[in-house]
Amino acid sequence: MIIRQLLYFIKKAIQNIRVFFVINLVTIGIISLSLIVLSTFLMISLNLEHCLDKWKSQINVTAYLKEAVTPEELTLVKQKITDFHEVKKISFVSREEALSLLKDTFPGQSGVFEELKDNPLPASIEIQLKEEYNNPQTIKNFAVKVEKISAVDEIEYGRIWIKGYAAFFNFVKSAIVAVGAVILLATVFIISNTIKLTVYARKEEIEIMKLVGASNFFIRTPFFIEGIFQGLLGAFVALLALYAGYHVFTNWMAHSSFLPLQFMQISFLPLKYVILIGVGGMVTGFLGSFFSLGRYLKI
Amino acid sequence: MIIRQLLYFIKKAIQNIRVFFVINLVTIGIISLSLIVLSTFLMISLNLEHCLDKWKSQINVTAYLKEAVTPEELTLVKQKITDFHEVKKISFVSREEALSLLKDTFPGQSGVFEELKDNPLPASIEIQLKEEYNNPQTIKNFAVKVEKISAVDEIEYGRIWIKGYAAFFNFVKSAIVAVGAVILLATVFIISNTIKLTVYARKEEIEIMKLVGASNFFIRTPFFIEGIFQGLLGAFVALLALYAGYHVFTNWMAHSSFLPLQFMQISFLPLKYVILIGVGGMVTGFLGSFFSLGRYLKI
Amino acid sequence: MIQMFHVYKSYTSRHRALSDINLKIDKGEFVFIIGPSGAGKSTLLKLMFGAEQPTRGQIIVNGMDIGRGKGSDIPLLRRRAGFVFQDFKLINHQTVYENVALALEVIGLNKKTIRKKVYQALKHVGLLNRMNAVPLVLSGGEQQRVAIARAIVNDPMILFADEPTGNLDQDITKEIIRLFKIISSWGTAVVIATHNRSLLSYHPTKLIALKKGIVQGVFVSSYKDSDTYIPQ
Amino acid sequence: MIQMFHVYKSYTSRHRALSDINLKIDKGEFVFIIGPSGAGKSTLLKLMFGAEQPTRGQIIVNGMDIGRGKGSDIPLLRRRAGFVFQDFKLINHQTVYENVALALEVIGLNKKTIRKKVYQALKHVGLLNRMNAVPLVLSGGEQQRVAIARAIVNDPMILFADEPTGNLDQDITKEIIRLFKIISSWGTAVVIATHNRSLLSYHPTKLIALKKGIVQGVFVSSYKDSDTYIPQ
Ligand SMILES: Nc1ncnc2c1ncn2[C@@H]1O[C@H](COP(=O)(O)OP(=O)(O)OP(=O)(O)O)[C@@H](O)[C@H]1O
Ligand SMILES: Nc1ncnc2c1ncn2[C@@H]1O[C@H](COP(=O)(O)OP(=O)(O)OP(=O)(O)O)[C@@H](O)[C@H]1O
Ligand SMILES: [Mg+2]
Ligand SMILES: [Mg+2]
């Protein structure tokens, strides 16, 4: 019985979609275009955030060691630092490594360093903190603790930069959230109001159905199905277009003459967002029908 | 006569807007939201482009001078370099300045440099090229020419970086253009199709007007005025919202704890783009009406 | 079956469409409401059908008090009633068949029963051959007959018909009224609003004369399937 | 004024709405087209008005060959003609006044003239007091009278009326037909399609009987403002 009724409603919805084919096409077009803009934005900002996070995870505290550190002391220091709960990873940079790094940074001036009698650079331990400790205060606290280790000469952690980094990070994040909210609102508004316009064009049909004794449920359901279908198809088209665009773009990047781009990893929307957009399209389509119909269903 | 007729059409359009107030509101809402997304994107990308351009203008070629350069020779070299038509600006970096710059770059390791007997760094001239010569080939040609100057020891211009830079620049530019094109298309499509839906809801009115002998011109004009009005008002609302957002945002930036942000200059859309969006809204509104009506005007 | 007590209806504050209507229509009655244009005939029918709410007074149809605006009862009433609207109220993008079937689909009948009943109704009004046309391509009279078919297809307990023969010629009018009479003889109350006094020759059991929203008189016929009509 | 030569009209390939119509209507004539539902009366009127194109044949109205589908001439014809549509075709979101005024606005008359003429037309159909209502709130008969007012407001050279009294009671019908007669006496050709044979008592100058799209006969009256009607 319930299945028969559902089938009936689906049949009705399909029939309506056929009859109002152009309108449905236009509606689905509008929905998918809104969603393309939304999902493109989403993809770009997720990738951007990923970049930022990577960058964030690269911020290190450097502990310069005293010149006269024995291998035994070194092992001890390493152990001590690793034992701090804030620490995620450490890596040792020997004096020789430090010098060759410096030379690499100034390729044009290698002569300068050759003049040095002996290597003036200290060995150091680069410390990467766990994400949750990547803020100015905890880094500072951590630095104080590390400085107390006897083999450690000096601590380097770019005080200003870290504070600024957090602010910048927040800045980019809030900009993304703000623009994203505008786009999301725009999308929802556009979709639901487009459906409102299509329902408006069919208000007489609704009135007539009421007059032959149809319950609100009976009238609404095919509209809901239609709205859900429009939202879903719109989302599908949008995601397809996004994927096509993504494909072309990454292909282009892979063949770019700019090396860093070749290695830059842009990822497509994660599955959960793909599902979110699909479900979001459906829900918006449904709600669009729901609120548009309300007005015409009063006796 | 013509003015009377125009007034009549405007009166009709106003009347229609009043009668279909909700529909008009919805339409204008959809238009302005689409335009908000478009103009936000436009503003962001213009600012981004501005940033990139600034950066571009900062790419320098550095000419390291031989150690034994006399002040007279120096003046000559400076003159020679300035005379190249590619050059926009030069600045001289003395040996002392070079050393202190190096020290600043490695604040933790100042001890290293104190050990140096005498300053091993050469003096240099930093050369900023005119924008139009900022591409790998011309920079290379230029470098060859400069290297021939007798007082010049070596030329440094980051071959890979420059090539990469251009690619990166192109990359960002084409990404902006691509996304912008999607948004623009989406906006135009959404606006014109929204108007199509509103016209559909009024097809009977159009039929009746034809039947009482109205010419196509007579029927169309009020719709055109309505479409233009919707587009214009939509653009106006969008720009207002954008400006409000811009205001809030720059305010927030000025009070940001991140210093670089305080000095970052974000500019609002230049007047020509403001006008473009206004005119674009109008034209799209007009064309939306134009194409939507066509179908219903055949006898 | 239908009772109205002191019913008033004003659409606007300045103008009263109906004043102090009291009437009673029984099972199987065949009632005409006559009166000039704007008298309130359509309004009276719409009130009985719950398509309009009375400003004042009580309306009881089939035991339900429909004047109170209890929305949920009205669809139930409508599924057991039929209504031929003066302006037909057909869905333009659906075929004749679908328009008529709609009145059965809302009840939830199965496809086969629906098909049988719709065919029968369309046959009664002589439109079986136009079944797959949409109303827009039909002549005025054909549209009116679709509206009639939809009103009778659900074997209504009450049948309202607002000017049901305004677009029909004499011969078809005769057919339709005969059909209504048959339906009435099965116990259905039939209420017809018309300006056409020539319909009076079809012998209603009750005649309600309206003018400017006021009942001018209710005439009850004692005629029983004979040829004379005696107004009381 | 109107001439049709061998006109055929088929909406669908299976069905012919009109077959081989030949007729001639002169200035000042008062013509009835009668026939049962679906006979093709409305189609015939629509052809004369350019609202439909003939499948075959020639239609000349007021010297224009309107069958050729030359779109630009038809608006001009319509501005000099009036048409009462069977389904009224009123703009629902405009008031009665605006609906009637529209027929004058398309001609480009000035506001004052329009007001005067609209008032007069509404007065003729007895709707001056409903001037500011929208059609949706009017009774069926009132809507029909608005349609009539719009058709006569531009002093048409030809007046087409499709079932113009289907929703009107006897008294108003009489009024309206009298009005049409007066308009006809000024030289306007009046063509009325109806199923209502009782209208024949109003003495047309020409009577065209249609059935299934075929002219059954054209009767020309020799009656001249006297009381007898003699079909030829
Ligand atoms: N929705 C409405 N809003 C305002 N006034 C209305 C509405 N419906 C009807 N009226 C007015 O109420 C009066 C009675 O209308 P009704 O439709 O009942 O008349 P009627 O007897 O059916 O006339 P007709 O024979 O012309 O159809 C008319 O004057 C009409 O204008
Ligand atoms: N647009 C159309 N498309 C297809 N068929 C049509 C169309 N308009 C009318 N018909 C058909 O043409 C035939 C004649 O229709 P027409 O409206 O001329 O009849 P009529 O004489 O006016 O009838 P009535 O008295 O019922 O109004 C009918 O069978 C009708 O179904
Ligand atoms: Mg009525
Ligand atoms: Mg007809």
Side-chain angles (χ1 to χ4, degrees), chain A residues 30 185-201 288 291-292 295-296, chain B residues 17 19-35 190-191 193-195 197-198 201 226 229-231 233-234 237:
Chain A
I30 290 180
L185 272 180
T187 306
V188 170
F189 183 89
I190 287 174
I191 294 178
S192 57
N193 279 289
T194 301
I195 291 177
K196 182 176 262 162
L197 292 181
T198 66
V199 170
Y200 179 86
F291 288 113
S292 312
R295 187 145 63 114
Y296 305 113
Chain B
I17 291 167
V19 171
F20 295 101
F21 188 69
V22 176
I23 286 204
N24 262 278
L25 223 60
V26 167
T27 310
I28 291 168
I30 292 180
I31 291 177
S32 57
L33 280 169
S34 321
L35 287 177
I190 288 174
I191 294 178
N193 279 289
T194 303
I195 290 177
L197 292 181
T198 66
E226 204 177 326
F229 169 79
Q230 290 169 336
L233 194 61
V237 171

Side-chain angles (χ1 to χ4, degrees), chain A residues 252-268:
Chain A
W252 176 83
M253 266 184 22
H255 297 94
S256 158
S257 55
F258 184 40
L259 232 88
L261 279 188
Q262 289 188 28
F263 296 103
M264 207 161 123
Q265 287 295 326
I266 292 201
S267 39
F268 192 65

Side-chain angles (χ1 to χ4, degrees), chain C residues 57-76:
Chain C
Q58 198 181 21
I59 304 171
I60 295 176
V61 179
N62 203 21
M64 287 181 210
D65 184 348
I66 63 164
R68 291 279 164 268
K70 284 204 292 168
S72 62
D73 285 351
I74 287 177
L76 298 179

